[in-house]
Every structure is written in structure tokens, then in C-alpha cells.
Amino acid sequence: EENGHQHKRLKRDADEEDAEDQNKKSPKRKIVLLMAYSGKGYHGMQRNMGSSQFKTIEDDLVSALVQSGCIPENHGEDMKKMSFQRCARTDKGVSAAGQIVSLKVRLIDDILEKINNHLPSHIRILGLKRVTGGFNSKNKCDARTYSYMLPTFAFAHKDHDVQEEVYRLDKETLEKVNKLLACYKGTHNFHNFTSQKGPRDPSAKRYIMEMCCGEPFVRENIEFAVIKVKGQSFMMHQIRKMIGLVIAIVKGYAAESIIELSWGEEKVDVPKAPGLGLVLERVHFEKYNRRFGNDGLHEPLEWTEEEEKIAVFKEQYIYPTIINTEREEKSMVNWLNTLSIHDFNSSVVGMQANNKNSK
């Protein structure tokens, strides 16, 4: 009997050692994770090492990766060790329905379920795919699509007294909004749409593929609309400023000519719309898919099977957060009240004076 107990104990010790060996041996693989999250209450996506008072999405993600056993603890402290790269750095309060991160992990059983068990419900991993060893989600991404959900009363003319819940966007105003948004298409110098670049910085030139506002819809008695924009890459605050300027023009605070003017070297005062409605919708890997998507070893980075899960997550976590926060905190209403402080005319007057002088 005693021998039997000893045998069991030895077997248990051997099993534990095997599991440890297995962990050491189980090779790490390069994968991508498809993430969705509601960004309210977070200081953006990217982790700020050494500044723990500003919680980010990556803080929660790395903690879940360690707790689920996909990565060793020291990889959480030094993210380079797992070749971690996010596709887009979303700003404070911004949500995502299709963020992609690439990293090396141990491919444990039921990996998605285990990671999600250690994440709050407003952050979900919706999909996983194996990728090439040298894959980097930021460098290999050739375009990003964002959406911006806003209450349509943002487009009501400043001279009209507007009841927010009663306002409905008419066809002419929507056409005007779309005509202005279309001006952004193509390659332009967006130095006036971020605080980080000077007018002669070559990296301020950005390529916008499409930008338009969809048909309005009513939620909780307020009418909303969604603006979609697809571009190669965006600078900090760029999309919020692009939308902010269009709102200023439609409301009658700024002349239409100011968009054209903003591409020039002059400093233009461009207002920045609130971060609340901004959502990273999806990221595109068209070149990678052409090269590796059908090589027999790797799958294309398309997420058609996950579309339904993405839609459900948006309905459950992203849209209600935007709508309820707008109702409670009135971020759009408060921001619209600041538009009158901006000085849009000085830029236009300055430009006219320059034109006269050059003539």
C-alpha cells in the first residue's frame, strides 16, 4: 500500500515536471489577435510603462495574457520579448471593433477562452490567426478604417435655435456634409490637423481613400449619424480635427475655403471634435494577403467569420457607451459651445492679403 502511495506521488511529481518541460519546449508562435473594446475610462490603447495611474487597454490585455499562461510573466514587463505590436494607437476614450495586435505566444488549448476569462467584459478577443514569423501588425497594415458616431444636431446652423432631441438632419445638409468630407480624399498636407508636425514635415502628408457620412438613425430619441473614413494611416487627433472643421463650416462658423487653405503652410485654427464617438472599425492587410494569404501555410487576414461577433460587441458595448455618455456628459453640446471662440477668419484674411501682395 505504501509503495502504491509512493508510486502515485512520484507519478504526480513527474506529471508536474512534464508540464513544466512542456512549457519550456512548447515553441512560441507568431499570431495576430482580433480585439474589440470600449475605450471609455482608458487612456488609449498603448501601455505607458512606468506610469501606472493612466490605465490603458494594453495593461488589461498583457495581464490576461500572463494569467492565462500564453506568455511568461517577464514578457509582460518587457513587451519586446514577445515581439508585441499594435496596429493602431487609439487615443484616450476611443473604442475599437477591429483592432489587431501581433505577438509571439504559446498556443495553449482553448487560448481565446482562457484569455477572455481574464479580461473585463468590455474588452474581448474575437479571433486569432497564425502569421509569418517576421509579421508586424503596424508595418504590414496598408490602411485603417475608422468610424465617428455623432448626434446630427452637431450640423444644425449656429443661427437656428435647436432642440437637440427634436432636430433631424435634412437631405440638403447631409449632401453638404458629404461634399465637404469628399474634399479630404487624396493626398494632402495635414500638418494643421495634428499638434505634432510642422508644415514642411514630409510625414504630415497623408493619403485618404474614402470619407463619407451615412444615413441618420434615431437612438434614445436622439438622431445620430456615422462618418466612415479609410486612410493609409492617421496622425494623433487628425480624424477628430477633420470632422471638427467640417462641423464648423456646416454650422456657419467658417468659410468653405478654409479646408483648401489648411493644406498650405499657414497655421489654421482647426477645432478638434470630442473623442467619444471615434471607433477603429477595421485594419486592412491587402499586400500581405496577396503575398501570404493563399500560400497554403497562412490564412488571409480577413475576418468574415467574426463579423457577427464584431456587430454584437458594438451593439452591446460601443454604441450604448457613446449614446449614454453623450446624454449624461453632453460632450458634443459642450464642445459645440466652444466653436465661437475659434478664430477662423484671421487665416482667410491672411491668405487674401498674401494673394494681393504676390499679385
Side-chain angles (χ1 to χ4, degrees):
E1 222 177 84
E2 203 172 7
N3 282 349
H5 275 305
Q6 203 172 356
H7 178 68
K8 273 185 186 162
R9 194 170 64 245
L10 287 170
K11 188 174 181 310
R12 191 174 66 239
D13 291 349
D15 284 350
E16 280 171 11
E17 274 174 30
D18 277 356
E20 254 178 60
D21 283 351
Q22 194 51 45
N23 264 351
K24 280 178 195 156
K25 279 181 202 159
S26 72
K28 293 195 192 66
R29 296 280 179 242
K30 182 59 90 67
I31 58 152
V32 295
L33 296 175
L34 171 70
M35 285 184 81
Y37 51 83
S38 169
K40 191 185 178 189
Y42 288 88
H43 280 257
M45 170 76 184
Q46 191 172 359
R47 206 165 183 209
N48 304 311
M49 295 309 278
S51 124
S52 53
Q53 78 262 39
F54 297 123
K55 198 164 91 148
T56 69
I57 299 290
E58 280 173 21
D59 288 327
D60 281 358
L61 173 63
V62 169
S63 162
L65 292 169
V66 171
Q67 286 173 46
S68 61
C70 300
I71 61 166
E73 201 155 327
N74 64 346
H75 286 203
E77 287 143 31
D78 181 1
M79 291 165 79
K80 286 195 195 83
K81 286 186 173 162
M82 55 170 164
S83 307
F84 186 91
Q85 187 56 263
R86 82 232 19 106
C87 194
R89 259 187 332 204
T90 51
D91 293 340
K92 180 185 172 185
V94 174
S95 298
Q99 169 75 284
I100 297 282
V101 298
S102 55
L103 67 159
K104 283 181 178 165
V105 296
R106 294 192 191 110
L107 284 174
I108 57 175
D109 293 336
D110 306 319
I111 181 167
L112 291 191
E113 193 184 330
K114 282 175 183 161
I115 298 170
N116 280 326
N117 284 345
H118 293 287
L119 282 170
S121 58
H122 55 265
I123 303 178
R124 290 290 92 180
I125 305 296
L126 302 178
L128 175 153
K129 288 185 196 284
R130 287 274 303 274
V131 284
T132 55
F135 184 87
N136 172 318
S137 60
K138 185 174 172 222
N139 299 347
K140 295 284 182 228
C141 173
D142 27 42
R144 295 155 177 87
T145 297
Y146 281 83
S147 68
Y148 188 85
M149 182 173 169
L150 78 173
T152 57
F153 62 69
F155 296 124
H157 197 279
K158 66 178 173 60
D159 298 340
H160 298 164
D161 189 21
V162 169
Q163 308 278 197
E164 281 126 34
E165 302 215 343
V166 180
Y167 182 82
R168 296 294 178 260
L169 188 66
D170 59 62
K171 200 161 162 270
E172 290 73 28
T173 309
L174 180 58
E175 277 170 12
K176 184 174 183 183
V177 168
N178 275 321
K179 190 180 117 207
L180 292 167
L181 293 173
C183 299
Y184 288 123
K185 284 192 207 169
T187 303
H188 302 286
N189 184 340
F190 282 98
H191 74 96
N192 273 308
F193 294 79
T194 183
S195 54
Q196 302 172 316
K197 312 271 181 197
R200 299 198 175 174
D201 187 332
S203 67
K205 284 213 164 90
R206 300 288 159 132
Y207 174 50
I208 306 296
M209 296 157 188
E210 49 199 61
M211 191 165 189
C212 66
C213 181
E215 289 295 322
F217 53 91
V218 176
R219 292 279 171 97
E220 315 253 338
N221 293 334
I222 298 178
E223 188 181 64
F224 286 88
V226 174
I227 294 171
K228 285 243 172 105
V229 54
K230 181 181 181 184
Q232 228 163 17
S233 60
F234 297 94
M235 297 177 290
M236 188 178 181
H237 300 151
Q238 183 186 337
I239 298 172
R240 288 164 61 188
K241 283 186 167 246
M242 289 162 80
I243 290 167
L245 191 56
V246 166
I247 292 173
I249 295 168
V250 175
K251 288 192 83 64
Y253 286 106
E256 278 188 40
S257 58
I258 204 157
I259 294 186
E260 200 70 33
L261 179 67
S262 69
W263 317 138
E265 290 199 4
E266 291 296 311
K267 187 90 189 91
V268 173
D269 184 3
V270 177
K272 179 176 72 191
L276 176 67
L278 193 59
V279 180
L280 174 62
E281 283 287 330
R282 58 179 305 173
V283 287
H284 309 266
F285 297 95
E286 284 138 19
K287 281 197 201 97
Y288 173 87
N289 288 346
R290 278 199 295 275
R291 188 162 171 206
F292 297 107
N294 300 305
D295 65 358
L297 297 169
H298 304 97
E299 307 167 78
L301 296 181
E302 303 269 342
W303 306 94
T304 21
E305 287 168 34
E306 287 75 16
E307 291 289 351
E308 200 172 318
K309 282 194 266 184
I310 293 171
V312 168
F313 185 88
K314 285 201 284 198
E315 288 296 337
Q316 244 177 339
Y317 293 99
I318 296 179
Y319 294 155
T321 301
I322 294 172
I323 293 161
N324 295 336
T325 308
E326 184 54 57
R327 288 181 73 94
E328 288 159 24
E329 297 175 15
K330 302 210 173 296
S331 63
M332 183 55 80
V333 177
N334 296 336
W335 175 76
L336 291 172
N337 290 335
T338 68
L339 282 177
S340 56
I341 304 162
H342 288 268
D343 184 9
F344 299 105
N345 291 327
S346 66
S347 314
V348 177
V349 170
M351 189 191 183
Q352 284 164 348
N354 285 347
N355 284 350
K356 272 187 191 154
N357 292 345
S358 61
K359 277 172 193 166

Short mmCIF file of all heavy atoms in Angstrom, two decimals, residues 34 58 72 84 106 147 160 176 199 210 237 264 282 332 337:
data_model
loop_
_atom_site.label_atom_id
_atom_site.label_comp_id
_atom_site.label_asym_id
_atom_site.label_seq_id
_atom_site.Cartn_x
_atom_site.Cartn_y
_atom_site.Cartn_z
N LEU A 34 -7.54 39.50 -32.96
CA LEU A 34 -8.55 40.49 -33.33
C LEU A 34 -9.23 40.94 -32.04
O LEU A 34 -9.80 40.13 -31.32
CB LEU A 34 -9.58 39.86 -34.28
CG LEU A 34 -10.82 40.69 -34.59
CD1 LEU A 34 -10.49 41.89 -35.47
CD2 LEU A 34 -11.89 39.84 -35.29
N GLU A 58 -3.91 48.04 -23.15
CA GLU A 58 -2.83 47.05 -23.15
C GLU A 58 -2.48 46.57 -21.75
O GLU A 58 -2.03 45.44 -21.58
CB GLU A 58 -1.59 47.60 -23.85
CG GLU A 58 -1.71 47.51 -25.35
CD GLU A 58 -0.56 48.19 -26.11
OE1 GLU A 58 0.52 48.41 -25.52
OE2 GLU A 58 -0.77 48.52 -27.30
N PRO A 72 5.19 34.20 -20.58
CA PRO A 72 5.79 34.23 -19.24
C PRO A 72 5.65 35.64 -18.65
O PRO A 72 5.49 36.61 -19.38
CB PRO A 72 7.27 33.91 -19.49
CG PRO A 72 7.41 33.64 -20.94
CD PRO A 72 6.17 34.04 -21.65
N PHE A 84 5.70 42.26 -29.40
CA PHE A 84 4.34 42.82 -29.40
C PHE A 84 4.26 44.08 -30.27
O PHE A 84 5.12 44.94 -30.21
CB PHE A 84 3.93 43.19 -27.96
CG PHE A 84 2.50 43.64 -27.85
CD1 PHE A 84 1.49 42.74 -27.58
CD2 PHE A 84 2.16 44.98 -28.04
CE1 PHE A 84 0.16 43.16 -27.49
CE2 PHE A 84 0.84 45.40 -27.96
CZ PHE A 84 -0.16 44.48 -27.68
N ARG A 106 2.58 31.15 -26.54
CA ARG A 106 2.46 29.69 -26.52
C ARG A 106 1.03 29.37 -26.92
O ARG A 106 0.09 29.88 -26.31
CB ARG A 106 2.68 29.15 -25.10
CG ARG A 106 4.07 29.34 -24.58
CD ARG A 106 4.24 28.53 -23.30
NE ARG A 106 5.49 28.91 -22.65
CZ ARG A 106 5.56 29.59 -21.52
NH1 ARG A 106 4.46 29.97 -20.91
NH2 ARG A 106 6.72 29.87 -20.99
N SER A 147 -14.65 54.89 -37.74
CA SER A 147 -15.97 55.50 -37.85
C SER A 147 -16.10 56.52 -36.73
O SER A 147 -15.38 56.43 -35.73
CB SER A 147 -17.08 54.44 -37.75
OG SER A 147 -17.10 53.91 -36.44
N HIS A 160 -29.71 78.99 -35.82
CA HIS A 160 -31.01 78.40 -35.54
C HIS A 160 -31.04 77.90 -34.10
O HIS A 160 -30.10 77.27 -33.64
CB HIS A 160 -31.29 77.22 -36.49
CG HIS A 160 -31.34 77.63 -37.92
ND1 HIS A 160 -31.26 76.74 -38.97
CD2 HIS A 160 -31.45 78.88 -38.49
CE1 HIS A 160 -31.32 77.40 -40.11
NE2 HIS A 160 -31.43 78.70 -39.84
N LYS A 176 -24.38 68.46 -48.16
CA LYS A 176 -23.31 69.43 -47.95
C LYS A 176 -22.18 68.81 -47.13
O LYS A 176 -20.99 68.98 -47.43
CB LYS A 176 -23.85 70.68 -47.24
CG LYS A 176 -22.78 71.75 -47.08
CD LYS A 176 -23.29 73.05 -46.51
CE LYS A 176 -22.15 74.07 -46.47
NZ LYS A 176 -22.54 75.33 -45.87
N PRO A 199 4.70 72.33 -40.98
CA PRO A 199 4.20 72.32 -42.35
C PRO A 199 5.15 71.68 -43.36
O PRO A 199 4.72 71.22 -44.41
CB PRO A 199 3.99 73.81 -42.67
CG PRO A 199 4.73 74.56 -41.62
CD PRO A 199 4.82 73.68 -40.43
N GLU A 210 -11.26 57.14 -48.67
CA GLU A 210 -12.69 57.50 -48.75
C GLU A 210 -13.15 58.12 -47.43
O GLU A 210 -12.57 57.85 -46.37
CB GLU A 210 -13.54 56.27 -49.09
CG GLU A 210 -13.27 55.05 -48.26
CD GLU A 210 -13.77 53.76 -48.90
OE1 GLU A 210 -13.32 53.41 -50.00
OE2 GLU A 210 -14.62 53.11 -48.26
N HIS A 237 -5.05 62.86 -33.35
CA HIS A 237 -6.17 63.83 -33.42
C HIS A 237 -6.60 64.18 -34.84
O HIS A 237 -7.50 65.00 -35.03
CB HIS A 237 -5.84 65.14 -32.67
CG HIS A 237 -5.54 64.92 -31.22
ND1 HIS A 237 -4.69 65.74 -30.51
CD2 HIS A 237 -5.97 63.96 -30.35
CE1 HIS A 237 -4.62 65.29 -29.26
NE2 HIS A 237 -5.37 64.22 -29.14
N GLY A 264 -2.10 74.40 -46.91
CA GLY A 264 -0.93 75.27 -47.11
C GLY A 264 -0.05 75.36 -45.88
O GLY A 264 -0.31 74.70 -44.86
N ARG A 282 -11.80 48.77 -38.63
CA ARG A 282 -11.05 47.61 -39.13
C ARG A 282 -9.72 48.06 -39.70
O ARG A 282 -9.53 49.23 -40.03
CB ARG A 282 -11.85 46.84 -40.18
CG ARG A 282 -12.28 47.66 -41.38
CD ARG A 282 -13.03 46.80 -42.36
NE ARG A 282 -12.23 45.64 -42.72
CZ ARG A 282 -12.68 44.64 -43.46
NH1 ARG A 282 -13.92 44.63 -43.89
NH2 ARG A 282 -11.90 43.63 -43.79
N MET A 332 -20.65 66.53 -26.89
CA MET A 332 -20.80 67.24 -28.17
C MET A 332 -21.40 68.63 -27.95
O MET A 332 -20.91 69.62 -28.49
CB MET A 332 -21.66 66.41 -29.14
CG MET A 332 -21.82 67.03 -30.52
SD MET A 332 -20.25 67.42 -31.38
CE MET A 332 -19.79 65.81 -32.03
N ASN A 337 -20.34 74.53 -28.09
CA ASN A 337 -20.35 75.88 -27.49
C ASN A 337 -18.99 76.56 -27.55
O ASN A 337 -18.89 77.77 -27.35
CB ASN A 337 -20.83 75.80 -26.03
CG ASN A 337 -22.31 75.46 -25.98
OD1 ASN A 337 -23.06 75.73 -26.91
ND2 ASN A 337 -22.74 74.84 -24.89
#
